[in-house]
Amino acid sequence: MIYPENFEQKIGFDKIRDMLSEGCISPLGKKHVEDIRFESSHGKVQTLLNQAEEFKQILLAGKPFPNSGYFDLTPELKRIKLKGTYLDPETLFDLKSSLETINNCLEFFKSPDSVFYPELTALTQDLETEKDLLKIIEGIIDDKGMIKDTASPELRDIRMKLHRKQKSIDGRIKRSMTDARKAGFAPENAEVTIRNGRLVIPVQAANKRQVHGFIHDESATGQTVYIEPTEVFDLNNEIRELENSERREIIHILISFTDLLRPKSKQLIYAYDFLGQIDFIRAKAKYALLIEGVKPHIKPATIFNWHNARHPLLYLSLKEQKKTIVPMDLELNSRNRILVISGPNAGGKSVCLKTVGLLQYMLQCGCLVPMEEESEAGIFKDIFLDIGDEQSLENDLSTYSSHLLNIRHFIQHGNRNTLFLIDEFGTGTEPQLGGAIAEAALHALNKGKAFGVVTTHYANIKLLADEEDGIMNGAMLFDTNELKPLYILRSGNPGSSFAFEIARQTGFPEDVLDHAASISGYSQIDFEKQLQELETEKIHLAKEKETYGVADNFLSEMIEKYERLIDELNTKKAEILEQARQEAREIIAGTNKRIEHTIKEIREAGAEKEKTRKLRKELAEETEKIIRVKPKQKKKKTAIAAAVNKALQYLPGPVEAGDQVEIIPYGKTAEVISLKAKYANVLTGSVTIKIPLKDLRKIKDPGIAAPKKSHKASGSVMSNINERAAQFKPSIDLRGKRAWEALEDIQRYIDDAILLSVKEVSILHGKGDGILRQIIREYLQGLDEIEQFSDAHVERGGQGITIVRFH
């Protein structure tokens, strides 16, 4: 049950219905828009939403789906049920176009891609292509809607004769016109014309007896008469007879075709209903793209778990003004079924209430809604609404009386399958009594296990929400510094009306406000203000906590990476030292052999001076070679040669701030930022680390010295990380993008995810031809940081979404 009767007008669905109708391209689709009805069957709602979602995917993938020829021939098919009736050529042409469209739709859903559109394909289950019927129509009518000469042998003969007669009469009438002009019976500029369907020549009235023929007409002034010459009169009669014969033959052809069509009319009416459904579903899909509508998870229960829900009409209005809408979250379940929203006037309470009613109604009418796909929505059998002024002079109803009648209806018919929406609950009468009645009514609705959203300013209703199970408070937040509403709904605590702040902002007299405060009590005003400030501060702290959490995770990851790097460097260092020791042993062994050999030669030479000097020179040269350790051809320098060359860069003296140094354990260069006790803070790359002075060695220009950077470097890095974390979203939508655009976007997105230590992300690429999915997955396979990736659950997008998990 939907209550009241003007529910759609109050909630704004009538405007959505109008927009859907404008999106249809045929009367067939518009009729389906008019027939939109609220559904309470979980299976039916699922089917309607799946149809719209599937067509949205067709549009996003840019598939070549038929978009013309959506004619409604249903009235004509019903008319020709009587024998002897027939379709005129214009209707036959529309039949041809629409049958081509129907056949093209059926062919689309028989293609391999149809597996991605099961609900739409199911609509074609009992339909068959009418190719034979189309061939017959194509033999009768051409692409311009004219009956072909070859439609029948008789028609071809008639038209050939007609063509010859017309050609003959054209020549004769032109000669008659020329003779009349030469004789001066007709003006020089006169031309052959038609009167009463006959070819005639204009002749001056004074000379009408000079031309033999039949007068068919005269001009308005009577100065010109239009004569059909005698010599063409008989020919014109013959042409008229042939034209009548042509008309009779065309009717005969159309009657014969209609007799063939009549037995198929029932099947064709069903096919045209399918065409109307497709037009209607496409209009819903196009509107979903306009408002960024999606299909949330539909549960066969009464539940709300909405994330980033937006009012579609407000979204479009603000979008035109280049403004951004503030989305809302809503969670209602068996434990908390009723939400009492309070807060300042013009703070968004009524908009939240209308958003709940409109989106729930849209869902149960089969329309996609603007919220996150991960949201969960339930199914209600009744939606009751009390909003606005229902004053009726005819029925002698005041505003408050109409509200009471509505609330009475809610209490009498509300149950666990009911959703009720009440705006400004309790207003319209004396506040204390109105508040008491509203409190009792809310208690009764809660007792009936109904779900609902109400807005109010009454304190007793806020207190009831705090005290009674099943009801909870919610507040529209207000910026007490800027004195403006934030339009953010926050569940858990009641909101303040901020009557004094708003009055002060409008320029209300301060002395009057002071008097009002003394009447109401300053403590109450201060309490509400502090409550709101605490809530605002809570949101601010939550955002800061999230930011610092991301930074902390990043730093933890960086520390882990550097510890792993140190382990790798120590292992490499040990390997290099062992290699150096081995080479040193080989050098020393070779040197010892050379010395022993030299001593032996000196002894054998009898210590001749010249021979001794020569041997010593050779030994000195060999020693110099060993010191330099020249590399062998086509090989790199040994570790000892590199160490010797590097040693030439070392500078004596203590390390000071600003010096370029080598971090001995790691073999890395760095710049000294500051000194403290036995430690130094050094900058290597873009990271500042603390190193013992004993592990540093001052060097000359190392060639790869760390780039100089201000002490604000680390701050800017953290700022950049915080900014990226704030803007990062756990999912990215690449649908509709070209392959190279999508690849660039996904590379940047994955880099940010790795930088921010994100564990899991979703990539929405759509199903389509699967090209985007393939390109993205080929890229992901080459990344070591990714643990695995897979399709999303079937109910959450299946092959249209890739879930990526990181190490």
Side-chain angles (χ1 to χ4, degrees):
M1 181 192 301
I2 298 298
Y3 181 88
E5 292 183 358
N6 59 346
F7 177 91
E8 290 191 1
Q9 289 74 27
K10 283 181 167 291
I11 213 71
F13 188 77
D14 58 327
K15 295 182 177 64
I16 292 176
R17 195 188 287 269
D18 290 342
M19 296 178 75
L20 290 175
S21 185
E22 290 174 6
C24 294
I25 56 179
S26 74
L28 288 163
K30 293 180 179 180
K31 185 178 183 302
H32 279 278
V33 173
E34 293 173 2
D35 293 338
I36 291 178
R37 293 294 178 267
F38 177 81
E39 297 288 345
S40 58
S41 165
H42 175 261
K44 181 65 174 178
V45 172
Q46 281 276 34
T47 299
L48 294 174
L49 291 174
N50 286 336
Q51 290 171 351
E53 176 62 26
E54 288 173 9
F55 213 112
K56 189 180 80 169
Q57 295 303 323
I58 292 175
L59 295 177
L60 286 172
K63 297 289 184 181
F65 197 86
N67 59 1
S68 62
Y70 285 75
F71 300 108
D72 184 11
L73 279 250
T74 303
E76 289 295 315
L77 291 171
K78 291 178 179 179
R79 182 182 63 81
I80 62 170
K81 287 182 179 180
L82 294 175
K83 195 171 183 179
T85 55
Y86 60 90
L87 298 177
D88 59 45
E90 184 180 352
T91 304
L92 184 62
F93 184 71
D94 289 345
L95 177 66
K96 174 190 173 187
S97 300
S98 55
L99 285 180
E100 287 175 346
T101 300
I102 292 171
N103 284 347
N104 290 338
C105 290
L106 295 179
E107 291 297 327
F108 181 90
F109 291 118
K110 287 180 181 178
S111 68
D113 286 345
S114 63
V115 295
F116 299 119
Y117 318 115
E119 295 293 351
L120 293 176
T121 303
L123 295 175
T124 68
Q125 188 172 1
D126 298 324
L127 291 175
E128 296 179 1
T129 54
E130 296 290 346
K131 292 183 178 179
D132 294 339
L133 195 61
L134 264 176
K135 286 182 180 178
I136 296 173
I137 298 174
E138 288 171 355
I140 296 174
I141 201 164
D142 62 19
D143 293 336
K144 295 180 180 179
M146 305 299 293
I147 302 295
K148 290 182 176 180
D149 294 349
T150 55
S152 73
E154 292 80 5
L155 183 63
R156 184 179 61 249
D157 292 342
I158 291 171
R159 286 186 172 175
M160 288 177 63
K161 292 177 182 178
L162 191 59
H163 178 69
R164 286 195 295 269
K165 296 289 183 183
Q166 287 174 337
K167 191 174 181 180
S168 174
I169 200 172
D170 285 345
R172 294 189 183 187
I173 196 74
K174 286 180 181 179
R175 284 196 298 271
S176 298
M177 186 73 252
T178 302
D179 293 343
R181 280 199 297 261
K182 287 181 179 179
F185 303 150
E188 286 295 326
N189 59 350
E191 296 292 341
V192 176
T193 186
I194 296 176
R195 287 292 186 274
N196 299 325
R198 317 277 284 203
L199 288 171
V200 295
I201 59 175
V203 177
Q204 294 171 352
N207 300 317
K208 62 183 179 182
R209 298 189 184 279
Q210 304 298 324
V211 178
H212 299 289
F214 299 90
I215 298 175
H216 284 277
D217 198 4
E218 65 178 19
S219 65
T221 61
Q223 295 181 358
T224 305
V225 294
Y226 297 94
I227 299 175
E228 180 182 11
T230 304
E231 58 182 316
V232 299
F233 181 77
D234 293 336
L235 282 174
N236 267 331
N237 286 338
E238 291 176 16
I239 288 174
R240 184 63 59 87
E241 289 178 5
L242 286 171
E243 286 175 347
N244 290 334
S245 298
E246 178 190 31
R247 192 175 300 106
R248 286 192 298 271
E249 180 58 24
I250 289 174
I251 291 173
H252 174 72
I253 293 169
L254 293 175
I255 289 175
S256 299
F257 172 76
T258 304
D259 290 341
L260 182 66
L261 180 68
R262 191 172 290 111
K264 299 176 180 288
S265 59
K266 185 176 180 180
Q267 176 71 11
L268 287 174
I269 289 173
Y270 182 69
Y272 279 105
D273 183 65
F274 160 77
L275 199 61
Q277 281 185 286
I278 290 295
D279 188 21
F280 166 58
I281 294 169
R282 173 169 43 197
K284 290 199 295 183
K286 287 165 62 178
Y287 185 70
L289 292 176
L290 188 66
I291 63 171
E292 298 183 1
V294 301
K295 176 185 175 289
H297 301 294
I298 305 299
K299 303 294 183 180
T302 48
I303 186 176
F304 286 93
N305 189 14
W306 294 359
H307 303 291
N308 290 332
R310 304 173 295 280
H311 192 292
L313 300 176
L314 181 60
Y315 167 77
L316 294 177
S317 176
L318 292 177
K319 188 176 181 181
E320 287 183 0
Q321 303 172 43
K322 301 189 183 303
K323 295 180 180 179
T324 305
I325 192 171
V326 179
M328 63 172 282
D329 294 341
L330 179 65
E331 184 175 1
L332 296 178
N333 47 48
S334 58
R335 189 166 56 87
N336 289 313
R337 289 173 285 97
I338 300 173
L339 176 65
V340 176
I341 304 176
S342 51
N345 287 315
K349 299 190 301 298
S350 297
V351 172
C352 285
L353 183 136
K354 284 186 175 182
T355 301
V356 174
L358 179 58
L359 295 189
Q360 187 64 40
Y361 191 75
M362 287 177 65
L363 276 172
Q364 295 191 232
C365 286
C367 298
L368 303 178
V369 292
M371 62 177 65
E372 296 295 331
E373 284 184 315
E374 294 77 13
S375 301
E376 295 177 332
I379 300 295
F380 292 88
K381 291 185 178 179
D382 313 309
I383 301 182
F384 299 156
L385 176 69
D386 179 58
I387 188 172
D389 187 358
E390 290 292 338
Q391 182 173 259
S392 173
L393 298 177
E394 293 82 359
N395 298 324
D396 194 24
L397 282 177
S398 68
T399 300
Y400 186 64
S401 297
S402 67
H403 286 314
L404 289 178
L405 287 175
N406 290 339
I407 303 304
R408 185 190 69 180
H409 180 89
F410 297 0
I411 295 172
Q412 289 175 344
H413 299 91
N415 54 56
R416 62 182 65 251
N417 294 312
T418 299
L419 170 65
F420 64 87
L421 307 165
I422 305 173
D423 192 32
E424 299 294 349
F425 200 17
T427 58
T429 188
E430 196 275 321
Q432 187 172 358
L433 299 179
I437 293 174
E439 182 178 343
L442 189 60
H443 172 76
L445 289 167
N446 185 35
K447 189 177 179 180
K449 305 298 183 183
F451 280 68
V453 177
V454 302
T455 68
T456 188
H457 290 283
Y458 285 1
N460 65 312
I461 298 178
K462 301 178 193 178
L463 290 174
L464 178 68
D466 274 339
E467 296 171 355
E468 189 164 320
D469 292 338
I471 311 175
M472 67 173 176
N473 274 306
M476 300 306 301
L477 300 186
F478 188 82
D479 190 332
T480 54
N481 294 323
E482 298 291 333
L483 294 178
K484 64 179 182 180
L486 298 176
Y487 305 110
I488 298 174
L489 172 63
R490 185 71 67 225
S491 299
N493 293 316
S496 169
S497 297
F498 287 97
F500 283 84
E501 287 78 358
I502 294 173
R504 189 169 284 110
Q505 190 180 29
T506 61
F508 209 76
E510 196 65 33
D511 56 336
V512 178
L513 289 176
D514 290 340
H515 187 209
S518 66
I519 295 171
S520 63
Y522 284 99
S523 58
Q524 174 66 22
I525 298 170
D526 291 340
F527 171 74
E528 289 191 349
K529 183 176 180 182
Q530 289 171 10
L531 185 67
Q532 185 70 18
E533 287 175 349
L534 283 173
E535 187 64 27
T536 306
E537 183 67 19
K538 179 182 175 182
I539 297 171
H540 177 69
L541 289 174
K543 288 183 179 178
E544 285 194 347
K545 181 181 178 182
E546 182 181 356
T547 301
Y548 287 127
V550 171
D552 185 57
N553 291 337
F554 172 74
L555 290 175
S556 298
E557 184 178 344
M558 292 296 293
I559 291 170
E560 183 182 345
K561 286 183 179 179
Y562 277 112
E563 287 177 349
R564 188 166 63 248
L565 178 61
I566 289 171
D567 291 340
E568 292 175 358
L569 289 173
N570 286 334
T571 303
K572 190 68 175 177
K573 174 185 175 184
E575 293 175 356
I576 292 173
L577 288 174
E578 181 58 33
Q579 182 182 355
R581 290 190 189 100
Q582 183 61 33
E583 290 184 1
R585 291 189 194 102
E586 293 174 359
I587 291 171
I588 292 171
T591 303
N592 288 337
K593 287 180 182 180
R594 180 62 181 164
I595 291 172
E596 289 174 1
H597 180 71
T598 302
I599 292 171
K600 182 180 178 183
E601 286 187 351
I602 290 173
R603 287 174 179 172
E604 289 176 353
E608 294 179 4
K609 291 183 178 180
E610 187 63 32
K611 183 68 174 177
T612 300
R613 190 173 0 351
K614 182 178 179 183
L615 290 173
R616 286 186 177 184
K617 182 178 179 182
E618 291 177 359
L619 183 59
E621 290 176 353
E622 188 66 24
T623 302
E624 183 67 23
K625 289 179 182 178
I626 291 171
I627 294 172
R628 289 198 298 269
V629 192
K630 291 185 178 179
K632 294 180 181 180
Q633 191 174 8
K634 295 184 181 179
K635 289 188 177 181
K636 295 181 179 180
K637 293 182 179 181
T638 64
I640 292 179
V644 171
N645 290 335
K646 199 167 188 180
L648 296 176
Q649 300 176 357
Y650 298 148
L651 295 176
V655 173
E656 298 177 356
D659 286 346
Q660 299 294 321
V661 294
E662 177 192 16
I663 305 174
I664 298 171
Y666 311 145
K668 295 288 185 180
T669 59
E671 178 188 356
V672 178
I673 301 299
S674 62
L675 299 173
K676 186 175 182 181
K678 297 180 180 180
Y679 291 89
N681 290 323
V682 299
L683 180 67
T684 175
S686 61
V687 178
T688 301
I689 56 177
K690 190 175 183 180
I691 297 291
L693 286 172
K694 64 183 181 64
D695 290 338
L696 300 177
R697 186 155 40 193
K698 192 189 320 186
I699 60 174
K700 295 179 182 178
D701 181 8
I704 55 170
K708 291 189 176 181
K709 217 168 187 181
S710 68
H711 298 296
K712 296 180 180 178
S714 59
S716 63
V717 170
M718 288 305 302
S719 175
N720 185 30
I721 294 169
N722 292 341
E723 183 180 350
R724 290 193 181 197
Q727 295 177 353
F728 188 82
K729 296 182 179 179
S731 64
I732 183 172
D733 190 347
L734 301 176
R735 295 174 298 178
K737 295 195 175 184
R738 296 183 179 90
W740 62 270
E741 293 175 326
L743 195 55
E744 286 183 356
D745 290 350
I746 198 63
Q747 287 173 347
R748 287 194 295 270
Y749 181 72
I750 293 296
D751 288 346
D752 285 348
I754 294 171
L755 175 67
L756 300 174
S757 302
V758 176
K759 295 301 181 185
E760 180 178 303
V761 296
S762 300
I763 303 172
L764 178 56
H765 43 64
K767 298 174 183 176
D769 294 327
I771 297 174
L772 271 183
R773 179 175 180 269
Q774 179 182 351
I775 291 172
I776 290 167
R777 294 196 168 199
E778 287 177 356
Y779 168 69
L780 296 176
Q781 284 175 349
L783 299 179
D784 296 334
E785 291 85 355
I786 292 177
E787 179 180 354
Q788 68 173 36
F789 55 84
S790 60
D791 292 335
H793 191 275
V794 176
E795 292 184 356
R796 300 182 181 178
Q799 294 183 345
I801 298 176
T802 295
I803 305 298
V804 182
R805 296 179 179 86
F806 299 90
H807 289 294

